[in-house]
Amino acid sequence: MDKNLYQNDVDFSALALQDPDFNKYLKSNGQLDFSNPEAVKQLTQSLLKRDFGLVVDLPDNRLCPPVPNRFNYILWLQDLLDTTSDSYADRYIPDREVVGLDMHGGELHLSTARLCSKERLEVRCYRSAGPRTMRLREGCTLTPDLDIDDKNLEYARRNIVANNLRSRVRPLKTDPKDPLIPLDTLGIDSSAAKKSRPPYSACTGAEIEMVTTGGEVAFVTRMIQESDVLKNRVQWYSTMLGKLSSVSEVIEQLKKRGVENWAVTEFVQGTRTRRWGVAWSWGDMRPKMDVARGIYHLPKHLLPFPSETSFSIPKSTIDTVAGRVNDTVQSLDVQWKYRSQISTGVGFAKENVWSRAARRRKQQQGNAVSPKQPTAEDEMDESSDEDDEIEPALGFKLEIRQGEEVDSTEVGCRWLKGFDHVLFESFCGMLKRQLTAG
């Protein structure tokens, strides 16, 4: 998938050459009249056809969400999921099942259609639609009644069928009084406790075009409230916001609710349009830093804690440093798997086992005389099984790579799992001291 597909503004002249239907609406100066609903609708149809192979039918007097911004939003969600999977590979895993709920109702199901049109994104998506009050470009409002909403749903179903997405997209009509995140209504067993099936992987709310008391912040606050009940039944909840000021308000709401794991980003389309994304999780899987901290001008207290750090060791080689890293971590009471081919290892610790107090405690336990020496049968007792089930307090990835300076080696530390950032900082500090001492 080309992540730079909409890095720049859409070239209307090029699109007109590729699609005669769009060419009819292009002005002589190569610009498009965005005040013309038919021109905007054709732009949406032409981009979906050219870039995603989707042929869609749109009714009149309906909003046409900008294709580029929605696509960039989906790419960010994909990065969130890829960097918080239990493979800890920080890349796309083809066999991973992803189920998504898109709450932005409409006749096209834009985000869902684009999400499912790419072979790389193997997901099952569900859409909810209900009577909505929507803001039109002219600034007036339209409150669809049930018949109009039925029309939306009918167009959505036709577009899903026309593009062979019936096995992957299920439209769901809801009432404004219904839950925004109707997991039970969908009839999906999404319990995170069942290891054989993933939790509901992604629940998204597109840029809020509804007119409600309190605006988009009020709507997202309702999402947050529902997520507080559902907790880990959904791995990631997310929304696209139209105002930068809303980002701060939403994050403050998350913090008040006790959310400790969130991500923010900015979507930039060419030189003009900007939107912002906020996602949160009640779980402790940590996304990569460039995914989680994509708004660099936010106040520090509104950004999630950095999930990556690194340090350099001068006058060293990758093999030498990798060996020392492996020896250091192996000496600790942690689960550790190191792959020498790529100079990368992944580890998990149940607690701080590298502090001086922890090392003294381990030494004392080793020197203590046990009243009963364990037998072979004891090694398989229930207490051992219980220890194996203890949730690790820290998951980390260490990558040894070539440094920026000549004859230097860089050690990258990535926070994979856990709620305690102090524990992550402590571990990275210990490792740096061990490797740079002497």
Side-chain angles (χ1 to χ4, degrees):
M1 180 184 295
D2 183 8
K3 290 193 173 185
N4 297 318
L5 182 60
Y6 297 122
Q7 184 177 17
N8 301 312
D9 289 325
V10 175
D11 188 334
F12 293 150
S13 297
L15 183 61
L17 292 175
Q18 297 165 331
D19 191 335
D21 291 331
F22 178 73
N23 185 48
K24 299 175 184 177
Y25 295 96
L26 198 64
K27 295 181 178 181
S28 59
N29 61 358
Q31 298 299 311
L32 190 69
D33 181 6
F34 281 92
S35 65
N36 181 354
E38 290 298 320
V40 175
K41 184 173 78 170
Q42 186 57 57
L43 172 62
T44 299
Q45 291 174 309
S46 298
L47 288 177
L48 290 174
K49 180 180 179 181
R50 183 191 70 176
D51 298 332
F52 302 93
L54 295 170
V55 179
V56 300
D57 185 18
L58 302 176
D60 296 329
N61 300 322
R62 291 297 184 278
L63 293 178
C64 289
V67 173
N69 270 327
R70 296 302 187 271
F71 180 66
N72 291 333
Y73 180 36
I74 290 168
L75 290 177
W76 181 58
L77 295 180
Q78 183 70 49
D79 287 339
L80 270 176
L81 294 172
D82 286 350
T83 60
T84 55
S85 72
D86 54 11
S87 71
Y88 304 108
D90 285 341
R91 58 180 173 80
Y92 171 62
I93 304 298
D95 295 335
R96 185 186 184 191
E97 182 185 11
V98 175
V99 180
L101 170 67
D102 189 343
M103 292 179 292
H104 180 73
E107 67 288 334
L108 176 59
H109 293 204
L110 270 177
S111 299
T112 305
R114 285 195 295 276
L115 186 65
C116 292
S117 68
K118 292 295 182 181
E119 293 182 0
R120 180 177 180 272
L121 302 176
E122 292 294 336
V123 301
R124 288 186 290 125
C125 298
Y126 297 82
R127 297 297 309 270
S128 62
R132 312 268 177 142
T133 302
M134 297 178 287
R135 183 179 293 111
L136 303 180
R137 288 186 179 276
E138 292 78 8
C140 62
T141 60
L142 168 66
T143 305
D145 59 23
L146 188 58
D147 291 333
I148 294 178
D149 197 68
D150 284 341
K151 183 178 180 180
N152 280 348
L153 206 59
E154 178 58 30
Y155 270 85
R157 287 170 176 157
R158 279 167 30 191
N159 285 321
I160 289 169
V161 171
N163 290 280
N164 298 316
L165 296 174
R166 280 181 295 181
S167 64
R168 304 173 70 183
V169 183
R170 171 187 165 191
L172 175 68
K173 181 180 178 180
T174 61
D175 186 271
K177 297 179 181 179
D178 293 339
L180 292 174
I181 312 172
L183 297 192
D184 294 330
T185 302
L186 291 171
I188 296 178
D189 183 3
S190 54
S191 173
K194 295 194 174 183
K195 296 182 180 179
S196 60
R197 304 188 71 174
Y200 219 92
S201 304
C203 175
T204 71
E207 175 192 354
I208 308 305
E209 294 169 313
M210 294 166 294
V211 177
T212 59
T213 303
E216 59 185 9
V217 172
F219 183 84
V220 179
T221 298
R222 185 180 167 192
M223 281 185 66
I224 295 171
Q225 292 169 346
E226 291 192 16
S227 78
D228 197 2
V229 176
L230 296 171
K231 298 290 188 183
N232 287 322
R233 290 185 65 183
V234 176
Q235 183 180 5
W236 283 103
Y237 304 84
S238 72
T239 185
M240 183 189 289
L241 299 168
K243 299 178 182 178
L244 178 58
S245 60
S246 297
V247 175
S248 301
E249 295 183 62
V250 168
I251 295 175
E252 293 291 0
Q253 289 287 337
L254 291 172
K255 295 174 71 173
K256 288 180 181 178
R257 285 273 173 174
V259 175
E260 300 180 58
N261 189 11
W262 71 89
V264 294
T265 196
E266 184 175 55
F267 307 109
V268 181
Q269 168 53 35
T271 59
R272 293 176 297 182
T273 307
R274 290 180 183 268
R275 295 292 184 268
W276 296 269
V278 178
W280 65 97
S281 175
W282 293 94
D284 64 350
M285 305 283 281
R286 299 286 167 170
K288 292 188 68 175
M289 194 158 67
D290 61 340
V291 179
R293 294 167 61 97
I295 307 180
Y296 305 105
H297 48 273
L298 269 184
K300 185 178 179 180
H301 74 282
L302 296 178
L303 290 170
F305 190 84
S307 60
E308 298 173 53
T309 187
S310 63
F311 55 89
S312 183
I313 303 175
K315 298 181 180 179
S316 61
T317 65
I318 291 179
D319 289 342
T320 300
V321 174
R324 293 181 62 191
V325 168
N326 193 34
D327 291 343
T328 300
V329 181
Q330 278 187 334
S331 68
L332 303 173
D333 185 17
V334 299
Q335 296 179 11
W336 170 247
K337 184 175 182 180
Y338 179 72
R339 297 180 62 185
S340 58
Q341 303 93 327
I342 57 175
S343 303
T344 301
V346 172
F348 300 92
K350 297 176 182 178
E351 59 183 351
N352 185 334
V353 295
W354 49 85
S355 66
R356 291 181 180 179
R359 292 198 300 269
R360 284 197 301 267
R361 186 165 57 249
K362 181 178 180 181
Q363 184 178 15
Q364 291 171 356
Q365 291 173 346
N367 294 335
V369 178
S370 174
K372 175 186 175 183
Q373 296 299 319
T375 64
E377 290 78 7
D378 292 332
E379 295 179 359
M380 298 301 293
D381 65 12
E382 293 183 0
S383 62
S384 297
D385 293 338
E386 291 176 359
D387 288 342
D388 291 340
E389 292 297 321
I390 296 177
E391 188 73 13
L394 174 66
F396 57 89
K397 178 189 286 188
L398 302 178
E399 182 181 2
I400 298 87
R401 50 188 178 248
Q402 181 64 49
E404 295 182 0
E405 302 295 331
V406 178
D407 296 331
S408 69
T409 303
E410 185 175 81
V411 178
C413 305
R414 160 95 159 86
W415 188 15
L416 296 176
K417 184 179 176 64
F419 288 110
D420 190 351
H421 66 82
V422 175
L423 198 61
F424 173 64
E425 286 184 293
S426 172
F427 173 78
C428 296
M430 175 278 300
L431 187 63
K432 182 177 180 180
R433 289 191 299 272
Q434 291 288 329
L435 297 179
T436 59

